Amino acid sequence: MAIFNNSWDILLKEELKKEYFKNLKKTLIKEYKEKIIYPKKEDIFKSLKYVDFKNCKVLILGQDPYHNENQADGLSFSVPLNIKPPPSLLNILKETETDLNITQPKNKACLLKWAKQGVLLLNAILTVVRNSPQSHSKIGWQKFTDAIISILNKKNKPIVFILWGNFAIKKEKLITNKIHLILKAPHPSPLSAHKGFLGCKHFSKTNSFLKKTNQSPINWQL
């Protein structure tokens, strides 16, 4: 049965058969029945459904989904249309503005436009219990998303891996293929953004690398 409706169905076929993933599914069925879980069930794999392996140019790795009501939409750092952007996302948009000399719309921060251009907005942990950050960090998601990063690492077309914060930077060990570009900075959270995230110029650096490798740049304007 196709889950992603693209090449991820073939690439992740063996992963989905593994014991840990079967247990993960059982846990999720129970959790969705008993608690309020974000994102909605149909949005768990949204990032992979929008960005096929073949089309992936950039990976922006998040930790786990937003845990407040109506914020998580299945794409890392993104929120649905008409939902006020959380502080980390405001800092991300602020950095796009200063880096690229653009103006982003106020109070509109759905990043689906980025995904449609090949930016895989992947959280390492794909679900969360309401008001309980990292509540699903130990149910198996990281094995699954580590497998995705490892598959992307093998791609023979260069990708930009964007790692913000210590959690994401730890995944650098999975990226061993020298053709790819790894960009690292502190997390965009207000607690750490001023320690090197703001001013990191990751958006222009990404586009420079894409052009250099004969790929079309990303239009970061929302």
Side-chain angles (χ1 to χ4, degrees), residues 66-92:
Y66 296 123
H67 55 86
N68 292 333
E69 192 176 8
N70 296 329
Q71 287 184 331
D73 69 354
L75 303 173
S76 64
F77 296 106
S78 178
V79 289
L81 283 171
N82 306 317
I83 296 294
K84 190 181 171 190
S88 293
L89 183 49
L90 284 174
N91 280 331
I92 291 168

Side-chain angles (χ1 to χ4, degrees), residues 34-163:
E34 295 173 0
K35 300 171 187 172
I36 294 172
I37 307 296
Y38 299 131
K40 292 181 286 192
K41 256 188 275 195
E42 60 268 29
D43 286 338
I44 294 174
F45 298 116
K46 188 175 182 177
S47 60
L48 294 160
K49 287 175 180 176
Y50 271 94
V51 184
D52 186 6
F53 170 80
K54 293 171 193 165
N55 301 332
C56 183
K57 296 178 182 179
V58 182
L59 167 69
I60 299 180
L61 188 67
Q63 187 161 1
D64 62 347
Y66 296 123
H67 55 86
N68 292 333
E69 192 176 8
N70 296 329
Q71 287 184 331
D73 69 354
L75 303 173
S76 64
F77 296 106
S78 178
V79 289
L81 283 171
N82 306 317
I83 296 294
K84 190 181 171 190
S88 293
L89 183 49
L90 284 174
N91 280 331
I92 291 168
L93 296 179
K94 187 177 173 183
E95 179 57 22
T96 65
E97 291 185 322
T98 55
D99 184 14
L100 304 166
N101 196 24
I102 59 174
T103 303
Q104 298 286 24
K106 300 292 169 238
N107 290 324
K108 178 187 163 193
C110 174
L111 304 182
L112 189 58
K113 187 180 172 188
W114 296 359
K116 287 177 177 177
Q117 297 175 76
V119 180
L120 181 60
L121 296 157
L122 183 72
N123 280 313
I125 302 145
L126 294 180
T127 53
V128 70
V129 179
R130 180 170 72 168
N131 300 331
S132 187
Q134 295 181 56
S135 43
H136 281 177
S137 63
K138 292 184 171 69
I139 66 169
W141 276 131
Q142 290 193 66
K143 272 189 183 178
F144 179 69
T145 53
D146 280 1
I148 291 164
I149 297 167
S150 296
I151 290 166
L152 287 169
N153 177 57
K154 291 173 188 165
K155 192 170 175 169
N156 56 18
K157 199 170 188 181
I159 296 174
V160 183
F161 289 89
I162 297 179
L163 310 176

Side-chain angles (χ1 to χ4, degrees), residues 57 117 206-208 210-211 215-220:
K57 296 178 182 179
Q117 297 175 76
T206 293
N207 279 353
S208 294
L210 290 173
K211 286 179 197 168
Q215 300 179 74
S216 53
I218 306 299
N219 176 6
W220 300 103

